[in-house]
Amino acid sequence: MIGKDIDLVVKLLKEGQLVGIPTETVYGLAGNALDENALTQIFKVKNRPTFDPLIVHTNSFEKVHDFVLDMPKKAHVLAKHFWGGALTLLLPKKNIIPDLVTSGSPLVAIRIPNHALTLEVLSRLDFPLAAPSANPFGYISPTTAQHVEAQLGDKIAYILDGGSCQLGLESTIVGFEQEQAIIYRKGGISIEAIEQVIGKVEVKAHSSSNPQAPGMLKSHYAPRIPLILGEIGKLIQEYAEQKIGILSFKKYFDGVPTNQQLILSEKGDFGEAAKNLFSAMRTLDQMDIEVILADLLPEQDLGRAINDRLRRAAAKS
Ligand code: TXA
Ligand code: MG
């Protein structure tokens, strides 16, 4: 069921049940991060392997110190600057965080999100929430309560409706080696924005062999229908025999009905494109088409994270 009953959400979470929650990035499938039963349920409902760890969500800087042993200086600076927001930090965990949350890693992924309803829920709980994106493992992340309902509605108690997600891309994951900051997943906060605050960072978001953030395995974010990346104009010729859908950054193309073309941002705005991306992929995935043709954005700012999701979607094809 979808609704705005915060009292009910708090009650369900205290009972150890799972709830779909809005964040500014994507919707999460939330449960008590300190309760092994709730955690087991999260993996089950998502059909997610337990070697893929979960992000812990809390609502205040003070509480973070209950869960982590210490914070490198740059982590502290980033947290002060970007929380609540689309930044997840990998930090050494205290024993109170179950190994199931981190898949046995000594590091816990933690963030303070930025969504009024979810912050209200967190402020009324005496435990943090583990929340992966609220989609079945390997599918596109949900950016509305209706997306969650469509795929997990029969498996969870309640979905808290917080409207459509403001950012539309998952959080950026940052870890540390000594004092060097490393980006493990490109996301809603751009590398440029992070570098403005702490200087040059290293990006390791591409290693797919033994990823530190296994959610970044290539086949993630994938629609069911094959997605082909390239110059859409040329691809239209190449795939002329098939029923084509188009996922384009800025413009419509000739030769394909416009109702089978989804434009991320006609004015070429990265933020607008990010907000529309997953929803557009879902819409195309439900159309009567055989192939999705898509083009990449300029490799800068949020364009990098959007391109990352497009490449992963294409990798399944
Ligand atoms: O924006 C977000 O981060 C959303 C919202 C709901 O907060 N959550 C999200 O969770 O995207 P999920 O589970 O779909 O992706 C979490 C990523 C995965 O790639 C996972 O492998 C990585 O974070 N991760 C979680 N804990 C980790 C840890 N201890 N060490 C390394 N990677 C970790
Ligand atoms: Mg996910």
Side-chain angles (χ1 to χ4, degrees):
M1 193 174 53
I2 297 180
K4 299 201 171 183
D5 190 343
I6 293 200
D7 292 337
L8 177 61
V9 170
V10 168
K11 177 175 165 283
L12 290 167
L13 289 167
K14 283 183 177 168
E15 286 170 8
Q17 301 210 54
L18 306 188
V19 175
I21 57 162
T23 82
E24 80 283 25
T25 61
V26 300
Y27 273 72
L29 172 63
N32 181 346
L34 309 182
D35 172 359
E36 304 247 348
N37 283 323
L39 295 168
T40 304
Q41 274 305 110
I42 291 177
F43 286 103
K44 222 191 231 166
V45 165
K46 250 189 90 88
N47 196 16
R48 175 175 175 132
T50 50
F51 61 71
D52 194 0
L54 308 176
I55 295 176
V56 170
H57 299 69
T58 187
N59 66 310
S60 83
F61 215 85
E62 289 63 48
K63 287 187 190 171
V64 171
H65 294 291
D66 297 341
F67 312 126
V68 308
L69 289 170
D70 70 322
M71 257 198 193
K73 204 165 148 224
K74 281 183 184 167
H76 196 87
V77 172
L78 286 176
K80 281 283 176 212
H81 200 273
F82 291 109
W83 280 350
L87 173 77
T88 293
L89 297 176
L90 296 177
L91 299 169
K93 79 176 190 75
K94 283 189 174 162
N95 282 335
I96 186 175
I97 299 291
D99 286 334
L100 197 48
V101 171
T102 67
S103 305
S105 165
L107 301 179
V108 60
I110 193 157
R111 84 175 183 106
I112 298 180
N114 180 21
H115 191 292
L117 295 185
T118 289
L119 289 172
E120 161 87 22
V121 170
L122 284 164
S123 74
R124 289 170 57 182
L125 297 172
D126 59 4
F127 51 82
L129 292 173
S133 53
N135 51 283
F137 186 64
Y139 196 68
I140 304 160
S141 296
T143 52
T144 67
Q146 289 70 29
H147 292 165
V148 182
E149 163 107 306
Q151 292 189 302
L152 302 178
D154 56 346
K155 298 196 178 92
I156 56 180
Y158 195 75
I159 301 158
L160 180 59
D161 189 356
S164 47
C165 300
Q166 235 174 63
L167 267 166
L169 284 179
E170 299 89 343
S171 60
T172 303
I173 301 182
V174 182
F176 304 87
E177 273 173 24
Q178 279 80 43
E179 272 292 330
Q180 173 67 36
I182 299 166
I183 307 239
Y184 289 104
R185 176 172 74 180
K186 295 174 194 171
I189 291 178
S190 70
I191 295 171
E192 287 88 338
I194 288 174
E195 289 190 331
Q196 273 190 6
V197 177
I198 54 163
K200 201 79 192 134
V201 297
E202 199 179 321
V203 181
K204 283 194 183 167
H206 276 302
S207 70
S208 57
S209 49
N210 183 21
Q212 288 254 358
M216 295 321 286
L217 291 171
K218 262 194 159 180
S219 70
H220 257 66
Y221 311 102
R224 291 173 302 113
I225 299 170
L227 184 142
I228 312 294
L229 278 176
E231 260 182 64
I232 293 176
K234 281 190 189 156
L235 290 173
I236 290 174
Q237 311 296 320
E238 209 176 307
Y239 286 85
E241 301 296 307
Q242 298 193 34
K243 269 193 200 161
I244 294 172
I246 287 175
L247 181 60
S248 152
F249 176 33
K250 293 198 279 201
K251 64 171 207 252
Y252 288 95
F253 288 83
D254 292 335
V256 174
T258 47
N259 65 353
Q260 283 161 227
Q261 304 196 38
L262 291 189
I263 312 302
L264 293 178
S265 171
E266 284 194 49
K267 52 178 193 279
D269 179 76
F270 290 129
E272 185 179 33
K275 191 171 193 288
N276 289 330
L277 178 71
F278 288 146
S279 188
M281 276 164 114
R282 272 175 195 262
T283 303
L284 285 163
D285 212 27
Q286 280 150 24
M287 278 184 188
D288 179 25
I289 53 173
E290 291 162 318
V291 64
I292 301 167
L293 308 181
D295 52 13
L296 290 169
L297 279 67
E299 198 68 21
Q300 64 189 69
D301 298 313
L302 286 183
R304 300 206 231 183
I306 295 170
N307 287 346
D308 171 84
R309 305 305 188 267
L310 286 168
R311 291 195 184 98
R312 284 171 208 287
K316 194 180 174 186
S317 310

